Amino acid sequence: VTGNILPFESTEIKPEISGRVVFLNIKEGTMVSKGQLLVKLFDGDLQTQLKKLKVQLQIARKTEERQSELLKINGISQQDYDLVVLNVQTLNVDIEATKIAIDKTEIRAPYAGQIGLRNVSLGTYIAPSDVITTVRQVDNLKLEFSIPEKYAKEIQKGAKVSFRVDGGEQAHDAIVMATENSVEQSTRTLRVRAL
């Protein structure tokens, strides 16, 4: 039967947010490691906001310390103290939210693999719908093929299959990972995927 060889994983790399590309680390056709920084979007406004929130948090913590001392001697009400504590907690949450927004400006490789063609340049303004590049995991490959229905019971997970690539004489082996749950009605074939 004929079949197709596919990468084990293939992912279109897109940004989560819109922004201007300020750093580009995509060398077409090269291998990247998991978590490697591929693209950095401008985050100067977010960095400034983070600094501002950290200063506000320092002030709020000092205020909370003072209010705590006053509460011990009944110098303020519990409600006033609770409002100061709430302000500290709110600032901590705002800082975490800003850090998450900054993380979204960094686009990293989801796994080790081979980079495809680059579709953006330094300085480009990109949106979440834009494909920056693709990453394909090619150290393992998938073999996908369909067999006639009458042989469906003979192919099970873990079975060994042998194949040759077009124009090649050498036989290669693959292990069946899974089969489709049912036979395709129009062709009366069962789709099989092997590693």
Side-chain angles (χ1 to χ4, degrees), residues 29-186:
T30 61
M31 299 300 288
V32 292
S33 55
K34 180 179 179 176
Q36 182 175 328
L37 182 63
L38 302 175
V39 176
K40 174 72 174 161
L41 303 178
F42 177 76
D43 69 351
D45 52 342
L46 294 170
Q47 293 290 353
T48 302
Q49 183 180 345
L50 182 62
K51 286 177 188 172
K52 178 182 171 186
L53 287 169
K54 285 181 176 179
V55 169
Q56 289 175 342
L57 180 62
Q58 286 178 335
I59 294 167
R61 282 188 176 145
K62 294 253 188 243
T63 304
E64 189 265 334
E65 288 171 15
R66 287 189 210 104
Q67 299 287 35
S68 175
E69 293 301 317
L70 287 172
L71 183 64
K72 289 176 187 172
I73 59 169
N74 293 326
I76 60 167
S77 69
Q78 181 68 45
Q79 182 180 3
D80 289 341
Y81 176 72
D82 290 345
L83 288 173
V84 172
V85 171
L86 180 64
N87 186 39
V88 170
Q89 292 171 346
T90 302
L91 285 168
N92 276 319
V93 170
D94 289 345
I95 286 171
E96 284 307 308
T98 304
K99 286 179 180 177
I100 289 168
I102 290 170
D103 284 346
K104 288 181 180 182
T105 65
E106 296 180 352
I107 301 154
R108 298 181 178 276
Y111 45 79
Q114 186 175 29
I115 291 285
L117 299 177
R118 177 171 54 95
N119 299 319
V120 299
S121 297
L122 201 60
T124 304
Y125 187 86
I126 56 176
S129 60
D130 296 330
V131 177
I132 297 168
T133 188
T134 55
V135 176
R136 290 185 174 87
Q137 197 174 34
V138 292
D139 52 349
N140 287 319
L141 298 173
K142 292 181 202 172
L143 175 65
E144 201 170 89
F145 57 96
S146 295
I147 58 169
E149 179 181 19
K150 65 181 179 178
Y151 299 115
K153 291 186 178 180
E154 295 180 30
I155 294 283
Q156 297 175 11
K157 183 176 179 176
K160 184 176 170 183
V161 293
S162 184
F163 69 96
R164 284 192 304 276
V165 293
D166 195 22
E169 297 297 321
Q170 182 181 355
H172 304 278
D173 292 326
I175 305 296
V176 173
M177 297 167 48
T179 63
E180 196 59 73
N181 290 334
S182 60
V183 172
E184 197 173 303
Q185 294 301 317
S186 60

